[in-house]
Amino acid sequence: MTLGRRTLGRALLARQWLLERADATVEEAVARLVGMQAQAPYAPYFGLWSRIRAFRTADLADALTERRLVRVAQMRSTVHLVTVADYRALRPWSQDALDRELDTAFKAPLAGVDRAAVAESGRALLRARPLTPKELRAALHEQWPDREPHALATVVRNLVPLVQVPPRAVWGIGGATRYAAAADWTGTEPASAADAEQIVLRYLAAFGPASAADVQTWAGRTRLRPVLESLRPRLAVFRDEGGTELFDLPDAPRPAADAPAPVRFLPEYDNLLASHADRTRVISAEDRKRVMTGNGMRATFLVDGQVAGAWKLRQDKTSATLEIEPFRPLTAAERAEGETEGSLLLKFAAPGADHDIRGITPRT
């Protein structure tokens, strides 16, 4: 059976709770999404607001301060917001990407370095107290004065799971990045090995139907087809319009191509746009160039299931302005829906401020 681009897009949005918000806790949502990309500290607040009914900023802030959720390098060697259980389960799954970063981007400055010794030194330093990246680099440089400090600190980050501790990423407070060893912060070590089949099944539940290349893009890993082949008897198999084989859970939602898809605002780095090799189910190749900026990914909004533009929130002490940049002309109905959803976003993000929305209505 062939699945068209719109059908694939509706399936993805349904599983991401972007066709209809869900009644769920923060931990349930983050676990369902298999983590949320979170190098921008406040991005997950907006991602969760677009997916959960009655979401409050305190829900995520409390989960961070109470150590029920952590921000730690995981898939693609990128900071993700995950549950403690997923920090344990996903870290060994992510280790290939973390090791590869050391072996490529830091190959020259780490030549001849005893990485295990650097990692153990970093673990000991962080056991005393959380350190900023600058403090960690300086302390390691004292022990390896002939080595590049950033490379030494990256060894610790990639070999010793490090959480970015609160108040970093706590809404309304924030602060500098400070690292603690995840094992010390959570009281538990990562799993000894990854359950690859279970992780791939969870990926399909959140992002399917998907090809082997899609799974590898999300994971930042290669050679995952054997995992899918071992799962094949348990999966439904389709093809996209280009003939690529797609795998899925048999009972996962696959709405019709014309299922209503409301306007939704996504934060920068949302995994919806980073977890497939072929992302045209939600963003065109042309618009992807507008969204990807070097190492960054702009905040976007969806109209009828596709990225239709970018947005930015500007705030001062008394006002909050939502600046919208459509990538194509919007119909009157689309503008009205976007203004309604944008007004709700402003009420969520800046409840006591004066609100304004700019850019969604063409100038006359």
Side-chain angles (χ1 to χ4, degrees):
M1 179 178 178
T2 298
L3 300 179
R5 177 182 59 80
R6 283 179 61 89
T7 300
L8 291 172
R10 291 305 194 268
L12 176 59
L13 295 177
R15 298 170 203 203
Q16 292 277 314
W17 293 342
L18 290 168
L19 290 184
E20 184 177 358
R21 286 179 169 92
D23 293 313
T25 67
V26 167
E27 291 96 323
E28 288 168 344
V30 173
R32 176 182 177 84
L33 299 172
V34 206
M36 302 180 73
Q37 199 163 321
Q39 66 265 55
Y42 296 122
Y45 288 88
F46 293 98
L48 290 168
W49 173 79
S50 285
R51 291 172 167 93
I52 303 177
R53 292 190 186 94
F55 172 72
R56 304 172 307 140
T57 57
D59 297 335
L60 176 50
D62 290 347
L64 287 167
T65 57
E66 295 168 7
R67 310 189 187 192
R68 291 180 279 120
L69 296 176
V70 292
R71 297 172 66 246
V72 59
Q74 296 278 40
M75 288 75 70
R76 308 184 297 278
S77 189
T78 301
V79 176
H80 276 69
L81 176 73
V82 293
T83 65
V84 172
D86 276 346
Y87 137 69
R88 295 193 69 248
L90 295 173
R91 183 63 183 218
W93 169 261
S94 305
Q95 196 60 52
D96 280 359
L98 295 159
D99 290 342
R100 187 167 61 252
E101 183 179 32
L102 295 177
D103 292 338
T104 54
F106 295 93
K107 180 178 181 179
L110 293 176
V113 169
D114 185 341
R115 297 181 188 179
V118 175
E120 186 53 39
S121 177
R123 185 190 296 270
L125 289 165
L126 292 165
R127 191 165 288 132
R129 64 181 179 89
L131 298 176
T132 67
K134 181 179 180 180
E135 291 169 340
L136 179 60
R137 291 193 296 265
L140 293 168
H141 191 54
E142 288 182 6
Q143 300 177 56
W144 287 271
D146 61 335
R147 297 294 179 169
E148 201 278 312
H150 178 57
L152 295 171
T154 304
V155 170
V156 180
R157 172 191 183 270
N158 287 23
L159 299 186
V160 181
L162 303 182
V163 298
Q164 296 187 13
V165 302
R168 181 69 169 170
V170 174
W171 187 275
I173 302 177
T177 297
R178 287 187 178 274
Y179 290 131
D184 296 334
W185 185 257
T186 65
T188 182
E189 295 280 356
S192 58
D195 185 339
E197 290 190 357
Q198 181 61 28
I199 293 172
V200 169
L201 290 172
R202 290 184 60 196
Y203 167 81
L204 294 175
F207 294 97
S211 68
D214 292 330
V215 182
Q216 291 174 170
T217 296
W218 169 77
R221 295 181 50 159
T222 58
R223 298 186 292 276
L224 291 180
R225 176 165 282 279
V227 180
L228 287 163
E229 291 300 334
S230 68
L231 290 169
R232 183 184 289 270
R234 300 163 57 185
L235 299 176
V237 181
F238 304 95
R239 293 194 179 272
D240 67 16
E241 293 170 319
T244 299
E245 193 172 46
L246 304 174
F247 298 88
D248 202 8
L249 305 182
D251 58 351
R254 287 181 289 273
D258 59 354
V263 170
R264 289 288 185 259
F265 286 88
L266 301 177
E268 59 267 51
Y269 303 107
D270 196 287
N271 271 344
L272 185 85
L273 305 182
S275 299
H276 296 85
D278 180 359
R279 305 173 195 184
T280 56
R281 66 186 70 190
V282 287
I283 186 170
S284 69
E286 180 181 355
D287 287 342
R288 183 178 171 187
K289 295 176 183 177
R290 298 178 178 181
V291 169
M292 305 302 294
T293 58
N295 289 329
M297 182 191 298
R298 301 170 70 188
T300 60
F301 66 94
L302 306 176
V303 174
D304 190 29
Q306 283 272 308
V307 168
W311 64 274
K312 190 175 185 65
L313 185 63
R314 298 191 183 277
Q315 294 179 259
D316 58 30
K317 293 182 179 180
T318 61
S319 65
T321 300
L322 178 62
E323 297 180 351
I324 294 177
E325 177 193 340
F327 294 161
R328 62 169 175 80
L330 302 177
T331 67
E334 290 169 344
R335 291 197 302 270
E337 187 180 357
E339 288 177 348
T340 298
E341 187 73 2
S343 295
L344 293 174
L345 184 150
L346 285 167
K347 290 178 182 178
F348 160 75
D354 294 329
H355 297 161
D356 188 21
I357 300 177
R358 298 178 183 174
I360 196 168
T361 301
R363 294 180 179 178
T364 57

